[in-house]
């Protein structure tokens, strides 16, 4: 995924289907300066982590 799309998803009120390492995740915030996203798995919201935006996959 590119950084601009990750930003769009993070500010959208509509939930997007985003996958990181096989798990559906929620994008909380995107740091555009270092192309990192703050995410958490939908089934484990306490497991927040920062990951490179290019590792995120959007499924339609």
């Amino acid at each position: 995924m590119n950084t601009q799309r990750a930003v769009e998803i993070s500010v959208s009120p509509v939930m997007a289907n985003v996958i990181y390492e096989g798990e559906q995740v929620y994008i909380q915030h995107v740091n555009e300066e270092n192309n990192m996203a703050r995410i958490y798995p939908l089934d484990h919201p306490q497991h927040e982590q920062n990951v490179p935006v290019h590792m995120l996959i959007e499924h339609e």
Side-chain angles (χ1 to χ4, degrees), residues 23-58:
E23 285 191 275
Q24 190 171 8
V25 298
Y26 179 79
I27 302 174
Q28 292 179 289
H29 175 75
V30 178
N31 183 327
E32 294 180 72
E33 291 181 16
N34 64 8
N35 298 315
M36 297 290 284
R38 184 78 174 165
I39 65 165
Y40 63 79
L42 294 183
D43 57 349
H44 291 44
Q46 68 279 16
H47 291 131
E48 296 179 7
Q49 57 186 318
N50 293 311
V51 300
V53 170
H54 75 271
M55 298 288 293
L56 300 174
I57 299 167
E58 180 180 14

Side-chain angles (χ1 to χ4, degrees), residues 8-23:
E8 291 170 3
I9 290 171
S10 72
V11 298
S12 173
V14 178
M15 184 70 157
N17 187 6
V18 178
I19 306 297
Y20 174 71
E21 294 188 343
E23 285 191 275

